[in-house]
Every structure is written in C-alpha cells, then in structure tokens.
Amino acid sequence: MSFNSEPSPSGTVPARRGANRSAALDFLRFAAAGLVVLYHYQSEGPFPLERLSPIFLRGYLVTDLFLILSGYVLGRAYSRQMAARTISDGQFLLRRVLRIWPAHIAMLTAFAAVIFAAGLAGRAPGHPESFQWSELPAQAFLIHAWAGQGGGWNLPTWTLSALVVCYAAFPALWRRLSGAGGGLVLFLGGAALVWLADLGIRQAYGRSIYDLGFNLGVLRAAPLFVFGMCVARAAECGWPRTDWAAGLALSAVTGVFALQSLGRFDLLSIVLLGVIIAACGQMRMTWGADLAARAARISFALYITHIFVGMLWFNAQRTLVGWLSPAVWEQWVFWACALPVALLVATVFDRWVDQPMQRGVTRMLRDRTTAGETKTPAASSPELSSGGDAPLTRRLSTHNRLS
C-alpha cells in the first residue's frame, strides 16, 4: 500500500480513494483526535473521569500517538519525492510550516481576543500565568517548545512548535532511512531510539521523557517522530504483512488498554502504539473510506480548536451550575454536549477558516514557483500542496478557565 499520492492543500490526503490510501489509518487519526478531546475534557465534569478508570490518567499517550503518526504519515507521503529529490529541504520545511501556522495564528488571535475582552470586563483569567502577554511572540512564531515557556495560551500547540524542528530534520533523516532494509529491524530500532532517549533524559533531567515540561517539548517529540519515520520505512519494506494487519491492530489496541489498567508502562505502550499505526497503514479496508477521509481531514482542526471551545463551554457550565444548582446528571448532560460542540466547531473551522487559508497558501506557492521558473527556466517545479499529517496534546487542565 503506497502513500505517495499528492497530498491536498488542507493537509490531509485527498478525499479521492484508491489503493494508495488507508481508511483504517484515517479512522485512527480521527479516533485519536477524539481521545485527545476526551482526555482534556475529562476533568471538567462533576468529577474527573480518572476516578472511573486509571486510563484517563495516561491520556498523554494519545499525544505520543500523534507525534508518531506525524513521522509515519510524512514518511509515506513524501518518500518518492525525497528519493527523487523533486523537492528541496527548504521547500519541504516551508510547505509544512505554512500548513500549520495560519490555523495556529487564527486560534491564537481568538484566544487573545477573549482574554483581552475578559480583562476589559473585569474578569481576569483563573490562571493568569497561563496567559502572559510577554509569551505571545514566542507562541506566535511557534518557538515556545524550545525557546519559551512551552505551555499557556493554546496549550496543545507545544507539539506544533516541536514538530517544526522535526520537519527541518525530516529530509536528511529520511534519506538516511531510505537506504535501510529489514522492516522489523527498522521498527525495533525506532523503538530502541525512544528507549535510549528516555534513558538520556532521565539522566539529564531526573524525569522520564513523557514528563518533560512543555518548554522541552522538542526533546519529547523528536524521538517519537523519528520512531514514526522508522515505522513508515518498515512499511515500505513490507512489514507488517497485509494479511497480519487486522489481527495485529486488534491485539495491540487490546494490549494498550489492558496495560493502562495495570499501571504505567510507557515504553511498552509506545511500542504497541507503533504496531497499531503500522497495522492500520497496511490494512486494505474499503468500507467507509469516504467517511474516513472526511474524518481525517478535520482531525487537525479538532486538535487546534478544542481547547478554545472547552474554555468557553466549561466556563459557561460553571456559571450555570452556580446560578441553577442542577442535578448531577444534568451537569453530566451539559458536559457531554461539549463533545459534539467541539466536533461542530472543528468542522466549521476546517471548512470556513482552514481550507480557505490553505487555498491562499497554495496560490502563494504557485506564484512563487512560477516566478522562480521565469528566472530559471530549467528548474523543476515542486509540488504546491502541503503534506499529509494532522499532528496532534497533553492536557486542558484548569489554566483556560475564566474566574
């Protein structure tokens, strides 16, 4: 199964179906986005859902899943271009940054507007340290996961900041990986890299790679991203076999959920997440393919908007609870409504904000390419569309509340 079709301007692989697209992987991307939302919202009900199951304490693994997915999807989408050198390293980085930066700026502007308006109304944020205006430039330029505090404002975007560094390194790393063979060896090598990175970080910082502060996010993201690249290269080498894929995916999903009930087994969980991605990428699944493509398309929008939606929704919920003192079941109903509202907002954002901005980016890159060809007629024309991943974080927490 090949992922070498041209990615669309929206950042997902085109909705047109074919042998080069995995519906199972598309469903996985959307399911992971939904789990991120659930994890970030779980503490906002009448009581935290972690009381029901310890699995809600380890939702950070879903962030790790998206970091691995980012490396995997880019590896599958750009392997031929990188091998043929039809896209330069600079063009690739520009394309990737322009895929995520406009949507990031749009949401950061929305956050700033709400916090500013709340200040004018005399309502300070419940955690003002999370909305420091001095941190806004680092946030805006997506350097806050390696040259700032990392957290605050639209908290999940620390992963986008970290991924910018990963994007810069991707072309050189992929060219090195493309010469390697042995699918299972590549997979295990990527997992070993995560283990070694964890050991090094424990020595340097006295904590695991999964517990690093957001300002050190790039140290967490980089090995997971490279692991995803190794999984992508393993898939190109034929691992896992297609007839094993469904069974492997089901076994790995079962294993991940079972592990969380037993305790914290982060490295083994990461390995199983890699197996899930590898297996879903190899599954030849046609049922619901168009629905899967549409779901995957909005996963990035859901990732980047749900914290903002949660900030407004749960602030309104706390106000209503204070006024009306509803029964606990009524509070749970209101809480549950936040999930479809987040999905609706993401759909609207994708359709009316992100897609138009990406069309503008495509036109800008096309004009830039045309101007370059005019000056250098012999130059080859790069692809104009952006890549195919929808990167996705750790925690809503209470920093987005307005008192």
Side-chain angles (χ1 to χ4, degrees), residues 59-65 67 158-159 162 166 194 197 201 208-214 216-225 393-394:
Y60 59 86
L61 290 171
V62 184
T63 300
D64 297 335
L65 171 63
L67 292 169
W158 73 264
T159 56
C166 297
V194 177
I201 286 169
S208 78
I209 190 173
Y210 315 100
D211 297 325
L212 285 173
F214 297 123
L216 298 173
V218 69
L219 297 181
R220 176 182 172 190
L224 294 167
F225 181 85
T393 168
R394 196 155 179 184

Side-chain angles (χ1 to χ4, degrees), residues 190-209:
L193 175 65
V194 177
W195 174 62
L196 291 172
D198 184 39
L199 289 180
I201 286 169
R202 286 176 186 271
Q203 288 294 320
Y205 296 99
R207 65 186 71 177
S208 78
I209 190 173

Side-chain angles (χ1 to χ4, degrees), residues 17 26 95 109 117 144 174 207-208 264 283 319 339-340 345 349:
R17 305 302 310 181
D26 283 346
R95 184 180 305 176
T109 300
H144 51 296
W174 186 259
R207 65 186 71 177
S208 78
R264 184 169 177 177
M283 288 173 62
T319 300
L339 302 175
V345 171
F349 182 86

Side-chain angles (χ1 to χ4, degrees), residues 271-284:
V271 172
L272 290 175
L273 292 177
V275 171
I276 293 170
I277 293 170
C280 287
Q282 297 293 84
M283 288 173 62
R284 293 176 178 172

